[in-house]
Amino acid sequence: MALVQAGLVVLDCAEPERLAAFYTGLLDAEETDATANRVDIQGACGTRLAFRRDVNATPPSWPRPENSLQTHLDFYVEDLDEAERRIVSLGGRPVDTNEPTGPFEERGYSDPAGHSFTLRREHPTAPKSG
């Protein structure tokens, strides 16, 4: 048996219940545990996240350099536009929505507590050749 079991990403925030609700809606997740200071969820695809109360949490300022990117999450999606609509409806906001060309199209967002995350197109959209 492994000494260390699989873990999960824990995001510090002032309101863990609110942030858990955002990611529950984004990932079609279910709450797996909750205490006064922490909420754990598991997404339909198996992604596990937790949100820990820290009343002094300061969100990263990315893309501004003064308190830049500390950590971020990547999520794969089929449809960037549909995912963006869902993010905004849940309280998130676009940070970098440029549409670079090529097989790794991606867009940057911020959750309601200011943590950054990236959506990447799951499958390239470049035209088929031949």
Side-chain angles (χ1 to χ4, degrees), residues 25-41:
L26 181 63
L27 300 173
D28 293 326
E30 293 184 10
E31 187 177 293
T32 58
D33 192 26
T35 66
N37 290 312
R38 180 173 159 149
V39 179
D40 293 27
I41 66 168

Side-chain angles (χ1 to χ4, degrees), residues 12-16 36-37 52-59:
D12 290 347
C13 57
E15 301 176 82
N37 290 312
R52 186 182 70 92
R53 188 177 316 280
D54 178 355
V55 295
N56 297 315
T58 303

Side-chain angles (χ1 to χ4, degrees), residues 2-101:
L3 177 63
V4 177
Q5 300 297 315
L8 63 151
V9 174
V10 180
L11 297 176
D12 290 347
C13 57
E15 301 176 82
E17 300 83 5
R18 181 174 177 228
L19 202 54
F22 172 81
Y23 283 103
T24 296
L26 181 63
L27 300 173
D28 293 326
E30 293 184 10
E31 187 177 293
T32 58
D33 192 26
T35 66
N37 290 312
R38 180 173 159 149
V39 179
D40 293 27
I41 66 168
Q42 182 165 347
C45 64
T47 301
R48 295 175 56 206
L49 297 172
F51 311 95
R52 186 182 70 92
R53 188 177 316 280
D54 178 355
V55 295
N56 297 315
T58 303
S61 63
W62 183 84
R64 296 182 322 271
E66 59 270 9
N67 182 22
S68 195
L69 186 63
Q70 297 166 0
T71 188
H72 78 280
L73 306 168
D74 279 355
F75 298 108
Y76 294 94
V77 299
E78 290 283 334
D79 185 324
L80 287 168
D81 294 330
E82 179 181 348
E84 181 170 309
R85 286 190 292 275
R86 186 173 206 177
I87 288 164
V88 171
S89 76
L90 292 167
R93 65 180 179 83
V95 176
D96 176 19
T97 57
N98 294 334
E99 289 199 51
T101 58

